[in-house]
Amino acid sequence: MASVTLTTPVLSVHQAGEAEKLLAFSTTFERVDYGPSVTLPSPYPVDTTFPLALAPSSQNISINDLIESVKHLGRTGRISNLLTQHGAIYFSNLGLSTAEEFSQFASAFGWTPHEDIGNPVRRTIHAFNVATANEGPNTEPVYPHNEFGLSPHYPAYVLFYCFSEPETGGETPINNSVVLYDELKKQFPEFIEEVEKKGVKYQLFYPNTPQEDTTSAGTSVLQSYGKNVLDTDTVEETRQKVETEIARLPTATWRWENQSEKNPLGDLRVFQILPATRRHEQTGRAAFFNNVISRYLNAIKAGSLEPPYLNKKGKLQPPAFYGDGSVIPHQYMDLAVKIVADTRSLVSWKRGDVLLIDNHAVQHAREPWTGPRKLLASLWDEPTTS
């Protein structure tokens, strides 16, 4: 095992390739071998490890000492430097055994808690800024996406914590969004030109089911946008409060559907037209930042890839669209899927381990599993400056 050295953020080819020798984690952390790690291709420097794997240099380190060390690394910007260079960090052998300890660890980096607005996926709170990662069934994969890539309001950093590990499967595939952009531009420059000009269009459907309903992995109108709704509110008051919450997302439009005597409020469909690529704030590199691969693969699985885009239950489940409403040609999406498969790391889990990703530069997914796998997630924004 080699000691990790820290320094101020540097992006030169030579120094980025020597990241493990640059930042000093004092005596707390050291680099370790991690089987699932891969080497990132261009535009990253040669031998850039993805994810970088770190572990405490002592097996006897206390939780308090661990937290204080992370706080120091956060204050000095050193952890951000490693993330800029590698995109993701896998922390092993941390000894974290509860959601509360994970919350302390995640909070120590010094970032600002991310507020969900219109989250389409159910998450159960376990501790401060810690919730379940995804409550979908273990037999179903989650396809590659940037966290909240279908919203203008997305976190900068995502941490996953293994509360209990699977018996088989359950890996968290991660792929680099900068690499994905570069490879797509090399092979289909006309696609990147088109998608940067038009953006991409999403639609999310929220049924009006009871606010306490937990039978679905998805969320309802009131679970996503009804935090200010009272039981005593009229239908019009409820609708106004829901729409006020949606309007916090400046690019959102919406419509109410399926209103009836039994469902006077109606179900809700929200639309977003967003950029498909974004510049990484620290490096200036372009990244393929969106959820279109996930949409495309879900449509294939649902048998709704072609018009009228209805799944086996007769519900609308379209693939990925350009911002003007035209479908993104399948050949472009097929290439994106292949690039992800060729460059990804399949992060495998041990209880107590943590994966930290730079959401601007890394997409993540989930493989099916057997056994008691349970991941918790913690989402963070850059700290606000006054």
Side-chain angles (χ1 to χ4, degrees), residues 41-253:
S42 175
Y44 284 83
V46 175
D47 296 330
T48 299
T49 306
F50 179 72
L52 176 68
L54 301 175
S57 53
S58 169
Q59 295 182 354
N60 299 318
I61 186 171
S62 69
I63 293 297
N64 287 339
D65 287 344
L66 185 72
I67 298 307
E68 287 305 310
S69 179
V70 171
K71 285 181 178 178
H72 173 71
L73 298 175
R75 285 193 302 266
T76 58
R78 293 170 176 175
I79 203 71
S80 295
N81 191 0
L82 281 182
L83 274 179
T84 297
Q85 294 173 355
H86 293 267
I89 303 172
Y90 187 84
F91 293 93
S92 63
N93 301 324
L94 294 178
L96 305 179
S97 59
T98 66
E100 288 74 18
E101 288 181 350
F102 171 51
S103 175
Q104 293 177 51
F105 179 82
S107 300
F109 291 99
W111 299 316
T112 301
H114 178 79
E115 177 192 7
D116 283 354
I117 303 177
N119 190 352
V121 177
R122 179 177 317 288
R123 285 178 170 150
T124 302
I125 303 298
H126 281 253
F128 171 73
N129 206 38
V130 169
T132 48
N134 185 297
E135 298 188 14
N138 67 303
T139 55
E140 297 295 325
V142 173
Y143 295 118
H145 63 284
N146 298 95
E147 190 68 13
F148 283 94
L150 42 62
S151 171
H153 180 66
Y154 51 85
Y157 307 105
V158 181
L159 295 99
F160 294 107
Y161 161 66
C162 183
F163 183 79
S164 56
E165 62 192 71
E167 293 176 359
T168 64
E171 297 91 352
T172 297
I174 57 174
N175 65 278
N176 189 280
S177 303
V178 175
V179 169
L180 180 55
Y181 174 93
D182 270 40
E183 290 299 317
L184 285 170
K185 190 170 185 177
K186 286 177 187 176
Q187 299 188 50
F188 282 124
E190 70 277 12
F191 168 53
I192 293 298
E193 181 180 357
E194 193 79 353
V195 80
E196 288 186 329
K197 179 172 66 177
K198 295 180 176 179
V200 288
K201 185 176 184 178
Y202 306 100
Q203 57 176 291
L204 293 170
F205 180 74
Y206 302 89
N208 181 27
T209 53
Q211 197 159 9
E212 65 277 6
D213 181 21
T214 59
T215 58
S216 169
T219 51
S220 68
V221 175
L222 296 182
Q223 289 167 343
S224 296
Y225 295 106
K227 69 176 186 178
N228 296 316
V229 174
L230 304 175
D231 291 340
T232 55
D233 286 340
T234 65
V235 170
E236 288 306 313
E237 288 170 336
T238 298
R239 185 175 291 117
Q240 183 179 21
K241 289 182 177 181
V242 167
E243 292 182 352
T244 297
E245 186 69 8
I246 301 172
R248 296 179 64 197
L249 303 172
T251 53
T253 59

Side-chain angles (χ1 to χ4, degrees), residues 250-326:
T251 53
T253 59
W254 62 89
R255 70 169 181 245
W256 294 95
E257 300 178 353
N258 306 324
Q259 291 157 292
S260 66
E261 184 176 342
K262 291 185 178 181
N263 183 15
L265 179 65
D267 303 325
L268 179 68
R269 195 175 298 275
V270 177
F271 303 88
Q272 293 278 1
I273 298 177
L274 296 168
T277 66
R278 301 177 190 270
R279 291 281 168 184
H280 189 276
E281 293 183 7
Q282 281 71 40
T283 67
R285 293 169 174 156
F288 196 66
F289 183 99
N290 53 64
N291 284 34
V292 297
I293 296 176
S294 175
R295 286 302 168 103
Y296 178 68
L297 291 176
N298 274 310
I300 290 177
K301 184 177 177 61
S304 58
L305 195 58
E306 304 295 340
Y309 308 121
L310 299 178
N311 62 24
K312 296 170 185 177
K313 295 182 180 180
K315 295 182 179 180
L316 186 66
Q317 190 172 342
F321 290 115
Y322 286 123
D324 63 3
S326 59

